[in-house]
Amino acid sequence: KAGVTQTPRYLIKTRGQQVTLSCSPISGHRSVSWYQQTPGQGLQFLFEYFSETQRNKGNFPGRFSGRQFSNSRSEMNVSTLELGDSALYLCASRRGVTSTDTQYFGPGTRLTVL
Amino acid sequence: GQQVMQIPQYQHVQEGEDFTTYCNSSTTLSNIQWYKQRPGGHPVFLIQLVKSGEVKKQKRLTFQFGEAKKNSSLHITATQTTDVGTYFCAGLRDSNYQLIWGAGTKLIIKP
């Protein structure tokens, strides 16, 4: 079974631009979560989608948005990029949102904002 | 809001020494999960603990879930260079099954 895939793997943008990241979950998984990870930091939760609906949201500004499609694939968008948005963006999928569902992470998209 | 505190942030050990990381939640958790992230990699699921007082072992790794389901620990016996990485705990919130993540403990093996 293929794992979680994220595209692109690397991105370089300049301040003020916007960016869209894509995540394809494991087949059969309906939940997708997004995280931001900066050097030396833990995993900062962005949001989680399940069946095309946002279930949970972290404490990030409105410049960060996401969506999920009917095939469970998800995209994350960051508008008006700032230098501080440079980070590894990780996507994780899980089968559902019950107590026994564990998360499987993709390799991440490394975003550099210049 | 509900938080999961994880300590220590870093731990330096000589190869062969033991390592322990601790997680504490402000409220009761439905379960707790542990993940390992190797340098340059992404977090990988290790184990899930569900029952109060549960103890699970994976070779040299021992995981415990507290009786009150508010704290957990991961203990590695006789560390090896392959154990290097950051270990994260994540507690599952009862109300909406959202995972609340600890900040991670980075294990560094001294040469």
Side-chain angles (χ1 to χ4, degrees), chain A residues 66-87:
Chain A
R67 59 178 176 168
Q68 187 180 34
F69 302 96
S70 58
N71 61 358
S72 294
R73 191 177 68 85
S74 178
E75 287 183 347
M76 190 192 97
N77 185 275
V78 187
S79 62
T80 319
L81 284 166
E82 301 177 358
L83 294 179
D85 296 333
S86 294

Side-chain angles (χ1 to χ4, degrees), chain A residues 22-92:
Chain A
S22 180
C23 171
S24 293
I26 292 172
S27 177
H29 285 197
R30 295 167 62 194
S31 163
V32 173
S33 295
W34 288 90
Y35 297 87
Q36 182 195 67
Q37 188 173 41
T38 49
Q41 296 297 312
L43 292 162
Q44 305 298 316
F45 172 73
L46 281 153
F47 25 66
E48 179 181 24
Y49 287 87
F50 178 75
S51 293
E52 302 178 66
T53 301
Q54 188 180 88
R55 293 188 71 247
N56 298 301
K57 189 175 187 303
N59 295 323
F60 278 81
R63 299 185 298 107
F64 292 81
S65 63
R67 59 178 176 168
Q68 187 180 34
F69 302 96
S70 58
N71 61 358
S72 294
R73 191 177 68 85
S74 178
E75 287 183 347
M76 190 192 97
N77 185 275
V78 187
S79 62
T80 319
L81 284 166
E82 301 177 358
L83 294 179
D85 296 333
S86 294
L88 178 67
Y89 290 88
L90 291 161
C91 159

Side-chain angles (χ1 to χ4, degrees), chain B residues 11-83:
Chain B
Q11 186 156 6
H12 295 76
V13 301
Q14 296 278 7
E15 187 174 5
E17 291 182 336
D18 293 355
F19 160 82
T20 305
T21 173
Y22 301 90
C23 281
N24 290 289
S25 168
S26 54
T27 58
T28 303
L29 299 168
S30 178
N31 67 39
I32 195 147
Q33 301 170 17
W34 286 91
Y35 294 76
K36 176 183 177 182
Q37 184 174 21
R38 293 181 186 273
H42 57 274
V44 174
F45 173 76
L46 292 176
I47 207 161
Q48 176 175 254
L49 304 171
V50 179
K51 299 176 185 175
S52 168
E54 189 169 14
V55 178
K56 287 189 177 180
K57 293 192 175 187
Q58 288 179 350
K59 297 182 181 178
R60 295 177 294 102
L61 278 61
T62 301
F63 304 83
Q64 294 188 350
F65 200 12
E67 294 289 342
K69 300 184 76 174
K70 288 185 176 182
N71 56 73
S72 181
S73 65
L74 157 59
H75 179 83
I76 302 178
T77 304
T79 54
Q80 300 175 358
T81 55
T82 53
D83 296 325

